[in-house]
Amino acid sequence: MFFGGGFPSSNVHVYSNGRMRYTYQQRQDRRDNQGDGGLGVFVQLMPILILILVSALSQLMVSSPPYSLSPRPSVGHIHRRVTDHLGVVYYVGDTFSEEYTGSSLKTVERNVEDDYIANLRNNCWKEKQQKEGLLYRARYFGDTDMYHKAQKMGTPSCSRLSETMKSLENFW
């Protein structure tokens, strides 16, 4: 029905009094009864058009952040800066110094540090999962070399997260 069709006409077998009869059902074509086909097509395509319109509008309303935690020349974040509090390195565009000063700069730096900590937590979790998976496989297969390798595997993001959290505690 969405594509202008319907159910096709069909041949039906009907049982009555223990005997099978063959009947042919025919439906009237809806296109014969439709007055204006253009309006019907428009109404059928309206949900798709609304989805495309809402998607386009949402893209226009989203603004990119004024910083990046890694250099991104495609966006213009090429100038290196460091936060005052935690010393997190971040990258900004050409006009950042003019647009962000005082309290707005402090807000941006706080957001940079929050994003940095969130990334460390995420990477720490991934490293722990990888280490635990390797330990599990080593135990499952009885591979002592793999087990020792897994035990020696470091979690650098977890170490950096621990150091960062300690410096936060010392600050407060």
Side-chain angles (χ1 to χ4, degrees):
M1 189 172 151
F2 181 75
F3 296 104
F7 292 107
S9 58
S10 61
N11 299 327
V12 179
H13 300 280
V14 177
Y15 290 94
S16 67
N17 297 334
R19 299 182 140 197
M20 182 175 68
R21 285 188 334 195
Y22 181 75
T23 61
Y24 181 75
Q25 268 187 346
Q26 185 175 12
R27 63 171 178 84
Q28 273 189 328
D29 196 13
R30 274 190 213 173
R31 286 177 237 142
D32 294 340
N33 293 335
Q34 264 184 342
D36 184 23
L39 180 62
V41 170
F42 179 73
V43 169
Q44 288 176 345
L45 291 177
M46 184 61 76
I48 294 173
L49 294 174
I50 289 173
L51 283 174
I52 292 170
L53 182 66
V54 167
S55 175
L57 286 176
S58 68
Q59 288 296 321
L60 293 175
M61 293 179 167
V62 174
S63 63
S64 62
Y67 65 89
S68 175
L69 294 177
S70 60
R72 300 181 86 195
S74 62
V75 189
H77 296 157
I78 55 173
H79 300 288
R80 186 178 191 268
R81 290 183 61 105
V82 179
T83 61
D84 289 335
H85 183 235
L86 291 178
V88 176
V89 175
Y90 65 105
Y91 297 85
V92 296
D94 294 329
T95 61
F96 181 82
S97 298
E98 300 160 6
E99 294 176 14
Y100 297 95
T101 58
S103 65
S104 63
L105 178 61
K106 294 288 182 195
T107 303
V108 168
E109 287 194 353
R110 180 68 182 165
N111 290 338
V112 167
E113 291 173 349
D114 289 345
D115 286 349
Y116 177 73
I117 291 171
N119 284 343
L120 283 179
R121 281 187 180 130
N122 188 31
N123 290 339
C124 177
W125 181 82
K126 287 179 184 178
E127 291 167 359
K128 284 182 177 180
Q129 291 296 315
Q130 185 178 12
K131 185 174 183 173
E132 288 176 15
L134 195 57
L135 283 168
Y136 176 78
R137 282 193 299 275
R139 277 189 236 121
Y140 183 78
F141 292 115
D143 189 345
T144 56
D145 291 335
M146 185 187 295
Y147 186 78
H148 292 301
K149 179 183 174 185
Q151 281 184 325
K152 291 178 184 176
M153 181 182 277
T155 52
S157 295
C158 297
S159 301
R160 277 187 279 156
L161 179 62
S162 177
E163 292 169 11
T164 303
M165 297 311 281
K166 285 178 186 175
S167 66
L168 274 177
E169 288 173 5
N170 292 337
F171 179 74
W172 299 111

